[in-house]
Amino acid sequence: MFFQWILCAAIWLVSLIANIILHSPQFWPFAMLGGFIWATGNITVVPILKTIGLGLGLLIWASFNLLMGWASSTFGWFGIDKETPPRPYLSYIGAALCVLSALIFFFVKSEGVPSRSESETTPLLSHGTVNESPSDASWVDALNPLKKRLIGCGLAVIAGLLYGSSFVPVLYIKDCAKRNDTRFVGASQFDLDYVFAQFSGIFLTSTVYFLIYCAVMKNRPKIYPQAVLPGFVSGIMWGIATCCWFLANHYLSAAVSFPIITAVPGLIAAFWGVVLFKEIKGLKNYITLIVAFCFVVAGSLTTAFSKV
């Protein structure tokens, strides 16, 4: 939870700079709901990494992120307008390929995060008053391999669905403004104008979750100073990338941008999971992973061409 809070603080800083550059466009509190949805999905990341690993976890949640973002925009879920590309049949074919890839990913066996030595699990503030326990054991460590896989895959699906829904409030505001809805009269049609509101929702939600965590831990949270800089850098990178995603939604539409954008992180995560963390092993798993990723790449490209 501490790492997430640092991450979200850096994300909010990116939005503050963007807000200054954009000359402080009108703040719509409803857009903060998207930040709440994203931050809620993000608290599942650590259990996912501990149960099924980075590679498989990100591939699953990216697939369901893609499907939720595509479906909500294509079919007009949650009160937003439908977005029909010039070649809708390509969009449907692309989505079907992505569904197949998501199903195939469930057959990839991952070893999750490798077990760590005692020196690596010793809390960093061992001489302070925050962390005095001798290890970093969690409820995940007590699970058998089958339960780890079921829980990890389930949480990855939930995370993907929440991530894919995080843009819905912004799209809803824009669509209501186009229909002259009195609740959002004068709302901007430029997606980047909502970055500060959504990222503020992320930071506020993560702060609330961190305070709840501190209360549950009886004011003795596990705090790792070495996680501050990596968390901050990660937040800056994510914030900049998501600003670009807002722009992609504006110029391409969410129905097209989601399949394209969510495919690449899965490839990178799978690469790190195989090469660096050794989470996925065996020729059968490698072949399954390659086949699944070919489906998701083909689906992303097909969906992209539906806009042409």
Side-chain angles (χ1 to χ4, degrees):
M1 295 301 294
F2 174 70
F3 179 86
Q4 187 205 29
W5 187 76
I6 296 296
L7 174 85
C8 294
I11 289 172
W12 183 81
L13 180 61
V14 171
S15 73
L16 178 62
I17 295 172
N19 193 58
I20 294 172
I21 294 174
L22 294 169
H23 305 291
S24 300
Q26 184 174 356
F27 186 95
W28 294 95
F30 186 73
M32 296 176 68
L33 177 60
F36 165 78
I37 294 171
W38 185 91
T40 301
N42 199 51
I43 63 175
T44 66
V45 170
V46 172
I48 291 171
L49 297 183
K50 287 186 175 183
T51 51
I52 58 176
L54 172 67
L56 182 58
L58 203 154
L59 285 169
I60 292 175
W61 85 53
S63 297
F64 282 88
N65 183 358
L66 181 160
L67 292 171
M68 175 57 78
W70 173 85
S72 59
S73 299
T74 301
F75 301 114
W77 292 353
F78 312 113
I80 63 177
D81 294 343
K82 295 181 180 180
E83 296 180 358
T84 305
R87 299 179 180 180
Y89 63 93
L90 289 180
S91 179
Y92 287 110
I93 292 173
L97 291 172
C98 292
V99 170
L100 288 175
S101 72
L103 296 176
I104 295 173
F105 282 137
F106 285 111
F107 292 96
V108 177
K109 294 183 178 180
S110 172
E111 298 183 359
V113 177
S115 59
R116 297 171 294 178
S117 64
E118 184 177 349
S119 62
E120 290 176 307
T121 57
T122 301
L124 296 169
L125 295 183
S126 56
H127 300 291
T129 59
V130 177
N131 262 336
E132 297 176 356
S133 60
S135 67
D136 189 29
S138 69
W139 59 272
V140 174
D141 300 323
L143 300 175
N144 61 44
L146 178 59
K147 287 183 178 179
K148 280 187 176 181
R149 183 171 179 81
L150 292 175
I151 292 175
C153 291
L155 288 176
V157 171
I158 293 171
L161 294 176
L162 290 172
Y163 288 154
S165 305
S166 62
F167 286 101
V168 168
V170 171
L171 298 175
Y172 182 80
I173 292 173
K174 290 176 56 184
D175 292 341
C176 286
K178 287 189 292 186
R179 295 193 296 264
N180 292 322
D181 191 310
T182 55
R183 290 171 294 176
F184 302 108
V185 170
S188 173
Q189 293 299 309
F190 186 51
D191 294 62
L192 207 58
D193 288 341
Y194 300 95
V195 162
F196 184 64
Q198 178 159 328
F199 287 14
S200 294
I202 289 175
F203 184 50
L204 177 61
T205 303
S206 67
T207 300
V208 171
Y209 286 153
F210 184 65
L211 292 175
I212 294 173
Y213 166 70
C214 291
V216 171
M217 297 294 291
K218 299 179 179 179
N219 201 29
R220 296 168 64 88
K222 295 178 181 179
I223 296 177
Y224 303 96
Q226 292 180 357
V228 173
L229 186 57
F232 193 83
V233 172
S234 298
I236 295 294
M237 293 171 62
W238 187 93
I240 295 173
T242 305
C243 286
C244 295
W245 195 338
F246 272 88
L247 291 172
N249 286 346
H250 179 73
Y251 291 110
L252 295 177
S253 80
V256 175
S257 65
F258 262 89
I260 299 173
I261 294 172
T262 54
V264 178
L267 173 62
I268 297 173
F271 175 80
W272 288 121
V274 171
V275 176
L276 182 62
F277 301 115
K278 310 296 183 183
E279 299 167 345
I280 301 173
K281 299 178 181 179
L283 181 60
K284 182 179 179 180
N285 282 328
Y286 291 155
I287 293 175
T288 305
L289 188 65
I290 292 172
V291 170
F293 202 80
C294 286
F295 272 100
V296 76
V297 170
S300 299
L301 292 175
T302 304
T303 305
F305 286 126
S306 69
K307 185 73 174 181
V308 179

mmCIF file of all heavy atoms in Angstrom, residues 93-135:
data_model
loop_
_atom_site.group_PDB
_atom_site.id
_atom_site.type_symbol
_atom_site.label_atom_id
_atom_site.label_comp_id
_atom_site.label_asym_id
_atom_site.label_seq_id
_atom_site.Cartn_x
_atom_site.Cartn_y
_atom_site.Cartn_z
ATOM 1 N N ILE A 93 -14.172 -8.443 -35.343
ATOM 2 C CA ILE A 93 -13.194 -9.522 -35.538
ATOM 3 C C ILE A 93 -12.014 -9.331 -34.585
ATOM 4 O O ILE A 93 -11.531 -10.285 -33.962
ATOM 5 C CB ILE A 93 -12.703 -9.553 -37.003
ATOM 6 C CG1 ILE A 93 -13.841 -9.983 -37.931
ATOM 7 C CG2 ILE A 93 -11.507 -10.504 -37.155
ATOM 8 C CD1 ILE A 93 -13.498 -9.889 -39.407
ATOM 9 N N GLY A 94 -11.563 -8.097 -34.473
ATOM 10 C CA GLY A 94 -10.455 -7.810 -33.580
ATOM 11 C C GLY A 94 -10.786 -8.130 -32.136
ATOM 12 O O GLY A 94 -9.977 -8.706 -31.400
ATOM 13 N N ALA A 95 -11.999 -7.777 -31.703
ATOM 14 C CA ALA A 95 -12.416 -8.074 -30.334
ATOM 15 C C ALA A 95 -12.508 -9.577 -30.097
ATOM 16 O O ALA A 95 -12.122 -10.076 -29.034
ATOM 17 C CB ALA A 95 -13.758 -7.409 -30.052
ATOM 18 N N ALA A 96 -13.008 -10.309 -31.103
ATOM 19 C CA ALA A 96 -13.114 -11.767 -30.974
ATOM 20 C C ALA A 96 -11.728 -12.410 -30.824
ATOM 21 O O ALA A 96 -11.542 -13.332 -30.013
ATOM 22 C CB ALA A 96 -13.826 -12.345 -32.196
ATOM 23 N N LEU A 97 -10.772 -11.916 -31.569
ATOM 24 C CA LEU A 97 -9.400 -12.427 -31.458
ATOM 25 C C LEU A 97 -8.835 -12.145 -30.066
ATOM 26 O O LEU A 97 -8.122 -12.974 -29.487
ATOM 27 C CB LEU A 97 -8.510 -11.801 -32.534
ATOM 28 C CG LEU A 97 -8.798 -12.223 -33.977
ATOM 29 C CD1 LEU A 97 -7.972 -11.390 -34.948
ATOM 30 C CD2 LEU A 97 -8.490 -13.709 -34.170
ATOM 31 N N CYS A 98 -9.143 -10.989 -29.532
ATOM 32 C CA CYS A 98 -8.660 -10.634 -28.200
ATOM 33 C C CYS A 98 -9.312 -11.497 -27.121
ATOM 34 O O CYS A 98 -8.671 -11.850 -26.122
ATOM 35 C CB CYS A 98 -8.922 -9.157 -27.916
ATOM 36 S SG CYS A 98 -7.932 -8.040 -28.934
ATOM 37 N N VAL A 99 -10.585 -11.853 -27.318
ATOM 38 C CA VAL A 99 -11.263 -12.753 -26.381
ATOM 39 C C VAL A 99 -10.585 -14.119 -26.383
ATOM 40 O O VAL A 99 -10.329 -14.720 -25.322
ATOM 41 C CB VAL A 99 -12.754 -12.896 -26.746
ATOM 42 C CG1 VAL A 99 -13.394 -14.022 -25.934
ATOM 43 C CG2 VAL A 99 -13.496 -11.592 -26.489
ATOM 44 N N LEU A 100 -10.256 -14.608 -27.575
ATOM 45 C CA LEU A 100 -9.557 -15.891 -27.678
ATOM 46 C C LEU A 100 -8.201 -15.837 -26.979
ATOM 47 O O LEU A 100 -7.802 -16.781 -26.292
ATOM 48 C CB LEU A 100 -9.384 -16.274 -29.150
ATOM 49 C CG LEU A 100 -10.647 -16.703 -29.898
ATOM 50 C CD1 LEU A 100 -10.339 -16.937 -31.373
ATOM 51 C CD2 LEU A 100 -11.221 -17.974 -29.275
ATOM 52 N N SER A 101 -7.505 -14.731 -27.159
ATOM 53 C CA SER A 101 -6.188 -14.606 -26.528
ATOM 54 C C SER A 101 -6.324 -14.629 -25.006
ATOM 55 O O SER A 101 -5.511 -15.244 -24.307
ATOM 56 C CB SER A 101 -5.505 -13.318 -26.977
ATOM 57 O OG SER A 101 -6.112 -12.174 -26.402
ATOM 58 N N ALA A 102 -7.363 -13.958 -24.484
ATOM 59 C CA ALA A 102 -7.573 -13.937 -23.038
ATOM 60 C C ALA A 102 -7.837 -15.336 -22.497
ATOM 61 O O ALA A 102 -7.341 -15.715 -21.430
ATOM 62 C CB ALA A 102 -8.736 -13.006 -22.694
ATOM 63 N N LEU A 103 -8.603 -16.134 -23.233
ATOM 64 C CA LEU A 103 -8.880 -17.509 -22.810
ATOM 65 C C LEU A 103 -7.619 -18.363 -22.852
ATOM 66 O O LEU A 103 -7.379 -19.189 -21.962
ATOM 67 C CB LEU A 103 -9.966 -18.118 -23.708
ATOM 68 C CG LEU A 103 -11.345 -17.464 -23.635
ATOM 69 C CD1 LEU A 103 -12.290 -18.105 -24.635
ATOM 70 C CD2 LEU A 103 -11.916 -17.575 -22.218
ATOM 71 N N ILE A 104 -6.794 -18.163 -23.873
ATOM 72 C CA ILE A 104 -5.550 -18.945 -23.998
ATOM 73 C C ILE A 104 -4.583 -18.616 -22.870
ATOM 74 O O ILE A 104 -3.870 -19.499 -22.369
ATOM 75 C CB ILE A 104 -4.900 -18.689 -25.372
ATOM 76 C CG1 ILE A 104 -5.808 -19.216 -26.491
ATOM 77 C CG2 ILE A 104 -3.526 -19.370 -25.463
ATOM 78 C CD1 ILE A 104 -5.333 -18.853 -27.889
ATOM 79 N N PHE A 105 -4.553 -17.346 -22.439
ATOM 80 C CA PHE A 105 -3.633 -16.952 -21.370
ATOM 81 C C PHE A 105 -3.862 -17.752 -20.088
ATOM 82 O O PHE A 105 -2.934 -17.977 -19.321
ATOM 83 C CB PHE A 105 -3.781 -15.449 -21.066
ATOM 84 C CG PHE A 105 -3.104 -14.562 -22.069
ATOM 85 C CD1 PHE A 105 -3.740 -13.409 -22.534
ATOM 86 C CD2 PHE A 105 -1.831 -14.847 -22.541
ATOM 87 C CE1 PHE A 105 -3.124 -12.577 -23.459
ATOM 88 C CE2 PHE A 105 -1.204 -14.026 -23.460
ATOM 89 C CZ PHE A 105 -1.851 -12.892 -23.924
ATOM 90 N N PHE A 106 -5.113 -18.189 -19.853
ATOM 91 C CA PHE A 106 -5.410 -18.943 -18.632
ATOM 92 C C PHE A 106 -4.713 -20.313 -18.621
ATOM 93 O O PHE A 106 -4.585 -20.927 -17.559
ATOM 94 C CB PHE A 106 -6.921 -19.129 -18.476
ATOM 95 C CG PHE A 106 -7.642 -17.889 -18.041
ATOM 96 C CD1 PHE A 106 -8.504 -17.232 -18.913
ATOM 97 C CD2 PHE A 106 -7.458 -17.370 -16.774
ATOM 98 C CE1 PHE A 106 -9.180 -16.087 -18.515
ATOM 99 C CE2 PHE A 106 -8.128 -16.220 -16.362
ATOM 100 C CZ PHE A 106 -8.984 -15.575 -17.240
ATOM 101 N N PHE A 107 -4.278 -20.780 -19.793
ATOM 102 C CA PHE A 107 -3.605 -22.080 -19.858
ATOM 103 C C PHE A 107 -2.092 -21.971 -19.699
ATOM 104 O O PHE A 107 -1.399 -22.985 -19.684
ATOM 105 C CB PHE A 107 -3.930 -22.759 -21.195
ATOM 106 C CG PHE A 107 -5.367 -23.167 -21.330
ATOM 107 C CD1 PHE A 107 -6.290 -22.354 -21.979
ATOM 108 C CD2 PHE A 107 -5.822 -24.359 -20.791
ATOM 109 C CE1 PHE A 107 -7.616 -22.717 -22.093
ATOM 110 C CE2 PHE A 107 -7.144 -24.741 -20.901
ATOM 111 C CZ PHE A 107 -8.054 -23.916 -21.549
ATOM 112 N N VAL A 108 -1.598 -20.750 -19.575
ATOM 113 C CA VAL A 108 -0.163 -20.556 -19.328
ATOM 114 C C VAL A 108 0.086 -20.721 -17.837
ATOM 115 O O VAL A 108 -0.541 -20.057 -17.010
ATOM 116 C CB VAL A 108 0.293 -19.151 -19.785
ATOM 117 C CG1 VAL A 108 1.777 -18.951 -19.460
ATOM 118 C CG2 VAL A 108 0.047 -18.974 -21.274
ATOM 119 N N LYS A 109 1.000 -21.606 -17.478
ATOM 120 C CA LYS A 109 1.310 -21.862 -16.071
ATOM 121 C C LYS A 109 2.470 -20.981 -15.641
ATOM 122 O O LYS A 109 3.530 -20.989 -16.249
ATOM 123 C CB LYS A 109 1.662 -23.336 -15.857
ATOM 124 C CG LYS A 109 0.484 -24.278 -16.099
ATOM 125 C CD LYS A 109 0.850 -25.718 -15.804
ATOM 126 C CE LYS A 109 -0.340 -26.647 -16.012
ATOM 127 N NZ LYS A 109 0.015 -28.062 -15.727
ATOM 128 N N SER A 110 2.220 -20.231 -14.589
ATOM 129 C CA SER A 110 3.236 -19.323 -14.058
ATOM 130 C C SER A 110 3.609 -19.740 -12.649
ATOM 131 O O SER A 110 2.774 -20.222 -11.887
ATOM 132 C CB SER A 110 2.715 -17.878 -14.053
ATOM 133 O OG SER A 110 3.611 -17.029 -13.386
ATOM 134 N N GLU A 111 4.881 -19.533 -12.297
ATOM 135 C CA GLU A 111 5.348 -19.866 -10.958
ATOM 136 C C GLU A 111 5.215 -18.699 -9.996
ATOM 137 O O GLU A 111 5.578 -18.803 -8.831
ATOM 138 C CB GLU A 111 6.817 -20.312 -11.008
ATOM 139 C CG GLU A 111 7.023 -21.568 -11.840
ATOM 140 C CD GLU A 111 8.458 -22.047 -11.815
ATOM 141 O OE1 GLU A 111 9.288 -21.381 -11.154
ATOM 142 O OE2 GLU A 111 8.745 -23.069 -12.440
ATOM 143 N N GLY A 112 4.713 -17.570 -10.483
ATOM 144 C CA GLY A 112 4.565 -16.390 -9.650
ATOM 145 C C GLY A 112 5.909 -15.798 -9.275
ATOM 146 O O GLY A 112 6.926 -16.065 -9.909
ATOM 147 N N VAL A 113 5.919 -15.001 -8.221
ATOM 148 C CA VAL A 113 7.154 -14.380 -7.780
ATOM 149 C C VAL A 113 8.003 -15.407 -7.061
ATOM 150 O O VAL A 113 7.532 -16.087 -6.148
ATOM 151 C CB VAL A 113 6.852 -13.205 -6.828
ATOM 152 C CG1 VAL A 113 8.149 -12.608 -6.300
ATOM 153 C CG2 VAL A 113 6.047 -12.149 -7.560
ATOM 154 N N PRO A 114 9.280 -15.574 -7.452
ATOM 155 C CA PRO A 114 10.140 -16.544 -6.791
ATOM 156 C C PRO A 114 10.263 -16.251 -5.308
ATOM 157 O O PRO A 114 10.191 -15.105 -4.872
ATOM 158 C CB PRO A 114 11.491 -16.354 -7.506
ATOM 159 C CG PRO A 114 11.158 -15.720 -8.812
ATOM 160 C CD PRO A 114 9.963 -14.865 -8.537
ATOM 161 N N SER A 115 10.438 -17.329 -4.531
ATOM 162 C CA SER A 115 10.601 -17.146 -3.091
ATOM 163 C C SER A 115 11.870 -16.394 -2.801
ATOM 164 O O SER A 115 12.879 -16.543 -3.479
ATOM 165 C CB SER A 115 10.636 -18.508 -2.385
ATOM 166 O OG SER A 115 11.715 -19.290 -2.887
ATOM 167 N N ARG A 116 11.849 -15.565 -1.748
ATOM 168 C CA ARG A 116 12.971 -14.711 -1.435
ATOM 169 C C ARG A 116 13.705 -15.204 -0.204
ATOM 170 O O ARG A 116 13.150 -15.865 0.654
ATOM 171 C CB ARG A 116 12.479 -13.271 -1.203
ATOM 172 C CG ARG A 116 11.843 -12.660 -2.423
ATOM 173 C CD ARG A 116 11.178 -11.344 -2.077
ATOM 174 N NE ARG A 116 10.050 -11.580 -1.187
ATOM 175 C CZ ARG A 116 9.314 -10.597 -0.688
ATOM 176 N NH1 ARG A 116 9.582 -9.347 -0.965
ATOM 177 N NH2 ARG A 116 8.300 -10.880 0.126
ATOM 178 N N SER A 117 14.945 -14.834 -0.106
ATOM 179 C CA SER A 117 15.744 -15.215 1.043
ATOM 180 C C SER A 117 15.341 -14.389 2.248
ATOM 181 O O SER A 117 14.651 -13.378 2.143
ATOM 182 C CB SER A 117 17.232 -14.986 0.737
ATOM 183 O OG SER A 117 17.474 -13.611 0.549
ATOM 184 N N GLU A 118 15.812 -14.819 3.450
ATOM 185 C CA GLU A 118 15.432 -14.127 4.675
ATOM 186 C C GLU A 118 15.916 -12.691 4.675
ATOM 187 O O GLU A 118 15.232 -11.782 5.154
ATOM 188 C CB GLU A 118 16.016 -14.866 5.877
ATOM 189 C CG GLU A 118 15.594 -14.268 7.206
ATOM 190 C CD GLU A 118 16.118 -15.042 8.390
ATOM 191 O OE1 GLU A 118 16.633 -16.149 8.175
ATOM 192 O OE2 GLU A 118 16.011 -14.515 9.515
ATOM 193 N N SER A 119 17.105 -12.450 4.092
ATOM 194 C CA SER A 119 17.640 -11.091 4.072
ATOM 195 C C SER A 119 16.806 -10.177 3.212
ATOM 196 O O SER A 119 16.726 -8.976 3.448
ATOM 197 C CB SER A 119 19.085 -11.112 3.555
ATOM 198 O OG SER A 119 19.122 -11.598 2.227
ATOM 199 N N GLU A 120 16.166 -10.771 2.193
ATOM 200 C CA GLU A 120 15.345 -9.943 1.302
ATOM 201 C C GLU A 120 13.986 -9.659 1.899
ATOM 202 O O GLU A 120 13.322 -8.708 1.502
ATOM 203 C CB GLU A 120 15.177 -10.652 -0.046
ATOM 204 C CG GLU A 120 16.457 -10.711 -0.867
ATOM 205 C CD GLU A 120 16.224 -11.501 -2.137
ATOM 206 O OE1 GLU A 120 15.735 -12.647 -2.054
ATOM 207 O OE2 GLU A 120 16.541 -10.978 -3.208
ATOM 208 N N THR A 121 13.547 -10.492 2.845
ATOM 209 C CA THR A 121 12.215 -10.297 3.417
ATOM 210 C C THR A 121 12.257 -9.546 4.737
ATOM 211 O O THR A 121 11.219 -9.280 5.334
ATOM 212 C CB THR A 121 11.512 -11.652 3.649
ATOM 213 O OG1 THR A 121 12.335 -12.461 4.505
ATOM 214 C CG2 THR A 121 11.298 -12.375 2.332
ATOM 215 N N THR A 122 13.442 -9.185 5.206
ATOM 216 C CA THR A 122 13.542 -8.420 6.433
ATOM 217 C C THR A 122 13.102 -6.993 6.192
ATOM 218 O O THR A 122 13.580 -6.350 5.267
ATOM 219 C CB THR A 122 14.996 -8.423 6.953
ATOM 220 O OG1 THR A 122 15.397 -9.772 7.177
ATOM 221 C CG2 THR A 122 15.090 -7.635 8.259
ATOM 222 N N PRO A 123 12.179 -6.455 6.970
ATOM 223 C CA PRO A 123 11.721 -5.076 6.771
ATOM 224 C C PRO A 123 12.867 -4.095 6.819
ATOM 225 O O PRO A 123 13.824 -4.258 7.584
ATOM 226 C CB PRO A 123 10.749 -4.869 7.945
ATOM 227 C CG PRO A 123 10.276 -6.247 8.289
ATOM 228 C CD PRO A 123 11.456 -7.136 8.041
ATOM 229 N N LEU A 124 12.770 -3.074 6.018
ATOM 230 C CA LEU A 124 13.855 -2.113 5.884
ATOM 231 C C LEU A 124 14.010 -1.225 7.106
ATOM 232 O O LEU A 124 15.086 -0.666 7.330
ATOM 233 C CB LEU A 124 13.606 -1.244 4.639
ATOM 234 C CG LEU A 124 13.624 -2.023 3.333
ATOM 235 C CD1 LEU A 124 13.114 -1.142 2.213
ATOM 236 C CD2 LEU A 124 15.019 -2.514 3.015
ATOM 237 N N LEU A 125 12.946 -1.070 7.903
ATOM 238 C CA LEU A 125 13.033 -0.266 9.115
ATOM 239 C C LEU A 125 13.075 -1.175 10.344
ATOM 240 O O LEU A 125 12.295 -1.065 11.270
ATOM 241 C CB LEU A 125 11.843 0.697 9.211
ATOM 242 C CG LEU A 125 11.771 1.762 8.124
ATOM 243 C CD1 LEU A 125 10.585 2.680 8.381
ATOM 244 C CD2 LEU A 125 13.044 2.583 8.072
ATOM 245 N N SER A 126 14.018 -2.117 10.347
ATOM 246 C CA SER A 126 14.059 -3.112 11.401
ATOM 247 C C SER A 126 14.415 -2.522 12.761
ATOM 248 O O SER A 126 14.134 -3.108 13.789
ATOM 249 C CB SER A 126 15.084 -4.199 11.044
ATOM 250 O OG SER A 126 16.347 -3.621 10.818
ATOM 251 N N HIS A 127 15.075 -1.338 12.791
ATOM 252 C CA HIS A 127 15.452 -0.735 14.053
ATOM 253 C C HIS A 127 14.510 0.390 14.464
ATOM 254 O O HIS A 127 14.721 1.034 15.479
ATOM 255 C CB HIS A 127 16.879 -0.174 13.975
ATOM 256 C CG HIS A 127 17.888 -1.236 13.654
ATOM 257 N ND1 HIS A 127 18.219 -2.248 14.525
ATOM 258 C CD2 HIS A 127 18.624 -1.447 12.522
ATOM 259 C CE1 HIS A 127 19.135 -3.030 13.973
ATOM 260 N NE2 HIS A 127 19.382 -2.566 12.761
ATOM 261 N N GLY A 128 13.478 0.613 13.678
ATOM 262 C CA GLY A 128 12.538 1.692 13.983
ATOM 263 C C GLY A 128 11.330 1.170 14.715
ATOM 264 O O GLY A 128 11.281 0.035 15.192
ATOM 265 N N THR A 129 10.347 1.996 14.768
ATOM 266 C CA THR A 129 9.126 1.612 15.472
ATOM 267 C C THR A 129 8.021 1.217 14.517
ATOM 268 O O THR A 129 6.932 0.871 14.952
ATOM 269 C CB THR A 129 8.632 2.790 16.327
ATOM 270 O OG1 THR A 129 8.393 3.907 15.468
ATOM 271 C CG2 THR A 129 9.649 3.168 17.380
ATOM 272 N N VAL A 130 8.298 1.276 13.205
ATOM 273 C CA VAL A 130 7.241 0.979 12.237
ATOM 274 C C VAL A 130 7.151 -0.498 11.959
ATOM 275 O O VAL A 130 6.099 -1.102 12.012
ATOM 276 C CB VAL A 130 7.480 1.756 10.928
ATOM 277 C CG1 VAL A 130 6.428 1.390 9.911
ATOM 278 C CG2 VAL A 130 7.471 3.245 11.199
ATOM 279 N N ASN A 131 8.300 -1.134 11.692
ATOM 280 C CA ASN A 131 8.323 -2.532 11.324
ATOM 281 C C ASN A 131 9.319 -3.288 12.191
ATOM 282 O O ASN A 131 10.511 -3.067 12.071
ATOM 283 C CB ASN A 131 8.725 -2.687 9.848
ATOM 284 C CG ASN A 131 7.521 -2.853 8.962
ATOM 285 O OD1 ASN A 131 6.477 -3.277 9.409
ATOM 286 N ND2 ASN A 131 7.680 -2.532 7.698
ATOM 287 N N GLU A 132 8.827 -4.162 13.013
ATOM 288 C CA GLU A 132 9.718 -4.929 13.850
ATOM 289 C C GLU A 132 9.547 -6.431 13.655
ATOM 290 O O GLU A 132 10.205 -7.221 14.299
ATOM 291 C CB GLU A 132 9.478 -4.571 15.328
ATOM 292 C CG GLU A 132 9.799 -3.111 15.635
ATOM 293 C CD GLU A 132 9.466 -2.741 17.062
ATOM 294 O OE1 GLU A 132 8.923 -3.611 17.770
ATOM 295 O OE2 GLU A 132 9.765 -1.604 17.469
ATOM 296 N N SER A 133 8.632 -6.826 12.798
ATOM 297 C CA SER A 133 8.423 -8.248 12.545
ATOM 298 C C SER A 133 9.594 -8.805 11.769
ATOM 299 O O SER A 133 10.197 -8.125 10.945
ATOM 300 C CB SER A 133 7.121 -8.460 11.756
ATOM 301 O OG SER A 133 7.171 -7.794 10.531
ATOM 302 N N PRO A 134 9.974 -10.074 11.940
ATOM 303 C CA PRO A 134 11.158 -10.638 11.321
ATOM 304 C C PRO A 134 10.982 -10.987 9.865
ATOM 305 O O PRO A 134 11.942 -11.347 9.201
ATOM 306 C CB PRO A 134 11.397 -11.904 12.152
ATOM 307 C CG PRO A 134 10.028 -12.305 12.622
ATOM 308 C CD PRO A 134 9.307 -11.019 12.858
ATOM 309 N N SER A 135 9.786 -10.924 9.334
ATOM 310 C CA SER A 135 9.620 -11.314 7.931
ATOM 311 C C SER A 135 8.520 -10.494 7.291
ATOM 312 O O SER A 135 7.823 -9.738 7.932
ATOM 313 C CB SER A 135 9.283 -12.812 7.833
ATOM 314 O OG SER A 135 8.012 -13.048 8.378
#
